[in-house]
Amino acid sequence: MSVKATYFWSAAILIVYGFGMFLPLMENDSAQFAAMAASMTLENDFTHLFKAGQPYLDKPHMHYWLAAFSMKFLGLTPFAYRLPSVLLLILGAFHTYKTGRLLGKASTGRISALIFVFTQTILLSAFDVRTDAVLTSFIAISLFYCVRYVKQQRLFDLSLGALFVGFAFATKGLIAVVILGVVILSMLISERKIQLLFSLKMFWALAFFLIAVSPVLLAYYQQFDLHPELEIRGIGNRKGWKFLFWEQSFERMSGTGHGRTTSDPFFFFHTFLWAFAPFSLVGLYRLVRLYSISRSLNTRIRPVRFFGWSLLILLSLMSLAQFKLPHYINALMPLSALFFAPVLDKEIVNNASSWMSKFTYLIFWMVSLLLSYSFYQSAVTIVVGVLGFTVLLVLQLRKSADLPWLFSASLVLNAVAYLVFYPKLLSYQSDLTFVDRFNFQNNSVYNATDSHTWNLDFYTHKHIEERSVEELSLLSDSYAIVSEKKYSVLKGLRPDIEEVAAAPHYRVTKLSFDFLHPGSRLSTVEIRRLVWLP
């Protein structure tokens, strides 16, 4: 891929990323983490982590620190919350380019970076911001310095590699060390440099790792180790350091900490197919083709085949966990991009690959039409249809290769998502409706919905406390947000309550066909009511 083409696609995808920067936050995780970071900023306390006013022992501080510092200077807004994650993703893409160039050539490096920022799961992580964008970026940066250290054995690279491994650990715990450890071990075996593991320089690397994680270790020690009386998830005397280095990962592996989600041993393998879209279908096909052409395999895949083995090992390990969520796979996207970039760098003499790239574009375009039709049944859907057809026509007339088709597929889908779909979807978060229409800053407001009101916490700059219907019936001069079922019970206990507003509510991160279909949507939404207790 030429430099000029790289600039074009980079500018196009950055514009799409920009579309999502100013949209409201999604519940649960994104709005929850933003509320936690905002609490740090408001309290000027960067040592203690709290969730809904309770000590939070799960993910370490790094993501919250970055978001809190950003909001300290730019204000408590969704843009300020997302900014550090998006900037780090750009930096991660740049280091992915540098790794690809180091192991192959400049064009392969450019394709690696573009694949990274165009993958569907990375685009989603820049909008529905959780800890994974920061974790993934630090892994991408650390990966470059570790790979260059293996190649050149410079102490400078080892130091920075260890430092960014530490930053990744300070973002989400031991999973960062496992991912980078598997990749580097695979590379050392592939390069026949396993002796580097037993060098005294490893103590130097350990020192830099400890420097990076020491702020988090100190914070955990102060919040938990010094306070054995605290109970977290029903367990007292929790040790912060022990949790970080041992309990966190094994609670997820066994499903004892947060419960079990699925025991499917292939969960992350089929999750990879959509997470790595739009490149998964064409990439996997080309990979199979290259394995049947030994010469192409030697010249193209062999320099980075350790990424392939690492992917298989890590997907297998992650699938053994009893607690699994799709976004956990984000951290594997840098090595996925680096492994598949040589595969996608040039055309294979086979028409099937071309047809697959066009098929992928058509699927993404159809999904775009469905998303627009979900909320706009007329003019907007027609505009999306014309836009998608125009792009298809231009690509076909130019006889474009696979990558332009795949990049265009991602651009069309995500531009429609950010400009058309998400603004309407997020209006089904009742918290946003209430906070837009009323000022709760100087009034007491309580939550009786059986779920958290994270957006309300974030925008009102305080935690909205939960109350039962019986407790609400004893209050006065207060607002309360109640579910439809609890509203009738509260009305029976307090006939004098006044309904101030009502809004539809839906868990927007768990889309269903019935919700997306305009004809059946009303049957899936809950009506939440804002009431005044005189």
Side-chain angles (χ1 to χ4, degrees):
M1 177 169 288
S2 68
V3 175
K4 185 177 179 180
T6 303
Y7 285 146
F8 170 79
W9 293 114
S10 299
I13 196 62
L14 284 176
I15 291 171
V16 171
Y17 274 89
F19 290 155
M21 291 287 287
F22 299 92
L23 290 172
L25 300 168
M26 293 183 78
E27 294 184 343
N28 276 353
D29 286 357
S30 188
Q32 174 197 316
F33 295 167
M36 292 168 62
S39 177
M40 277 185 163
T41 303
L42 293 166
E43 299 295 330
N44 204 31
D45 179 2
F46 297 93
T47 300
H48 298 79
L49 265 176
F50 292 98
K51 172 186 173 182
Q54 299 299 314
Y56 180 75
L57 184 64
D58 190 0
K59 300 170 184 69
H61 294 58
M62 181 62 76
H63 169 70
Y64 308 101
W65 280 336
L66 293 171
F69 286 132
S70 177
M71 290 190 283
K72 190 84 169 175
F73 294 102
L74 299 176
L76 303 180
T77 64
F79 173 84
Y81 170 68
R82 292 187 177 106
L83 184 62
S85 295
V86 174
L87 291 178
L88 275 172
L89 282 173
I90 295 171
L91 194 60
F94 176 68
H95 282 81
T96 301
Y97 154 73
K98 293 178 72 174
T99 307
R101 186 181 63 178
L102 178 67
L103 294 173
K105 52 187 178 180
S107 64
T108 305
R110 291 193 291 268
I111 291 173
S112 300
L114 288 173
I115 290 174
F116 175 72
V117 293
F118 271 90
T119 51
Q120 192 57 39
T121 192
I122 295 299
L123 276 156
L124 183 59
S125 75
F127 162 66
D128 185 18
V129 172
R130 312 182 188 196
T131 57
D132 299 275
V134 175
L135 170 70
T136 304
S137 302
F138 283 140
I139 285 176
I141 297 168
S142 176
L143 186 60
F144 165 70
Y145 289 111
C146 290
V147 167
R148 195 164 71 173
Y149 171 72
V150 174
K151 288 287 186 182
Q152 302 175 5
Q153 281 103 65
R154 295 195 309 171
L155 198 58
F156 173 79
D157 293 323
L158 180 62
S159 303
L160 286 180
L163 194 70
F164 281 101
V165 172
F167 291 157
F169 177 88
T171 304
K172 207 167 182 177
L174 200 59
I175 183 64
V177 179
V178 172
I179 290 173
L180 286 160
V182 168
V183 175
I184 300 307
L185 183 60
S186 299
M187 184 180 182
L188 289 172
I189 294 172
S190 177
E191 299 269 321
R192 294 183 174 85
K193 294 181 179 179
I194 198 71
Q195 71 276 5
L196 291 178
L197 279 181
F198 307 101
S199 168
L200 291 176
K201 292 178 180 178
M202 290 298 106
F203 291 102
W204 181 265
L206 179 61
F208 273 83
F209 174 82
L210 292 175
I211 289 170
V213 303
S214 58
V216 165
L217 296 180
L218 179 61
Y220 267 62
Y221 182 79
Q222 290 185 355
Q223 185 170 7
F224 299 105
D225 294 69
L226 293 180
H227 296 279
E229 74 279 3
L230 293 176
E231 280 198 8
I232 311 296
R233 294 186 285 277
I235 302 175
N237 196 24
R238 299 300 294 263
K239 304 295 184 182
W241 291 16
K242 181 181 178 182
F243 175 81
L244 268 180
F245 286 102
W246 183 261
E247 294 175 342
Q248 182 194 39
S249 297
F250 287 96
E251 281 184 0
R252 280 175 164 74
M253 290 295 291
S254 63
T256 56
H258 300 273
R260 299 186 177 191
T261 53
T262 175
S263 57
D264 180 3
F266 301 105
F267 177 82
F268 284 111
F269 286 93
H270 52 73
T271 298
F272 181 84
L273 294 177
W274 76 258
F276 194 58
F279 309 101
S280 47
L281 184 62
V282 178
L284 289 169
Y285 169 76
R286 286 195 176 196
L287 186 63
V288 172
R289 284 284 299 167
L290 284 177
Y291 267 94
S292 65
I293 308 171
S294 59
R295 185 175 180 181
S296 294
L297 177 64
N298 289 331
T299 58
R300 213 180 294 182
I301 296 297
R302 191 174 294 278
V304 294
R305 65 181 178 181
F306 61 89
F307 286 129
W309 288 114
S310 301
L311 271 174
L312 287 174
I313 293 168
L314 290 166
L315 288 170
S316 302
L317 287 174
M318 291 169 67
S319 292
L320 291 175
Q322 297 301 304
F323 185 81
K324 309 181 186 77
L325 292 173
H327 60 270
Y328 289 1
I329 207 169
N330 288 20
L332 304 184
M333 288 303 107
L335 53 147
S336 302
L338 287 161
F339 179 64
F340 281 98
V343 180
L344 294 165
D345 193 359
K346 291 183 179 179
E347 292 296 316
I348 298 174
V349 185
N350 190 290
N351 288 330
S353 176
S354 178
W355 282 109
M356 284 182 181
S357 64
K358 294 173 184 177
F359 176 74
T360 300
Y361 176 85
L362 289 173
I363 293 296
F364 272 55
W365 180 26
M366 289 175 61
V367 173
S368 303
L369 287 168
L370 290 173
L371 292 181
S372 59
Y373 179 79
S374 181
F375 291 114
Y376 303 90
Q377 285 80 59
S378 55
V380 175
T381 304
I382 294 173
V383 171
V384 172
V386 171
L387 170 66
F389 180 76
T390 302
V391 173
L392 182 150
L393 192 61
V394 170
L395 292 170
Q396 185 64 32
L397 290 174
R398 290 174 60 89
K399 297 182 179 179
S400 299
D402 287 350
L403 283 176
W405 283 96
L406 302 177
F407 292 155
S408 298
S410 186
L411 287 173
V412 169
L413 174 61
N414 287 283
V416 170
Y418 290 145
L419 295 175
V420 176
F421 180 69
Y422 284 130
K424 284 289 187 180
L425 175 68
L426 297 179
S427 68
Y428 282 84
Q429 296 183 141
S430 58
D431 299 4
L432 295 174
T433 302
F434 295 140
V435 82
D436 282 343
R437 294 176 59 182
F438 301 95
N439 182 4
F440 298 108
Q441 295 288 351
N442 300 317
N443 298 100
S444 298
V445 58
Y446 298 97
N447 170 24
T449 63
D450 293 327
S451 61
H452 290 291
T453 53
W454 296 118
N455 268 308
L456 207 57
D457 286 16
F458 180 71
Y459 286 104
T460 59
H461 306 164
K462 59 185 178 183
H463 173 57
I464 307 303
E465 297 181 7
E466 298 176 20
R467 292 288 188 271
S468 67
V469 172
E470 291 73 19
E471 290 172 321
L472 287 179
S473 66
L474 303 175
L475 299 176
S476 59
D477 296 326
S478 302
Y479 286 106
I481 298 173
V482 295
S483 62
E484 194 166 13
K485 184 183 296 184
K486 291 187 176 182
Y487 173 74
S488 58
V489 177
L490 182 60
K491 190 72 174 176
L493 294 173
R494 283 283 301 270
D496 61 332
I497 63 170
E498 303 172 18
E499 181 181 324
V500 179
H505 186 84
Y506 185 81
R507 179 73 178 270
V508 296
T509 54
K510 294 188 175 181
L511 297 176
S512 67
F513 176 80
D514 287 339
F515 174 80
L516 291 174
H517 193 285
S520 56
R521 182 173 300 130
L522 287 178
S523 65
T524 66
V525 300
E526 168 195 2
I527 301 298
R528 290 188 175 178
R529 304 178 189 275
L530 178 67
V531 300
W532 172 252
L533 300 160

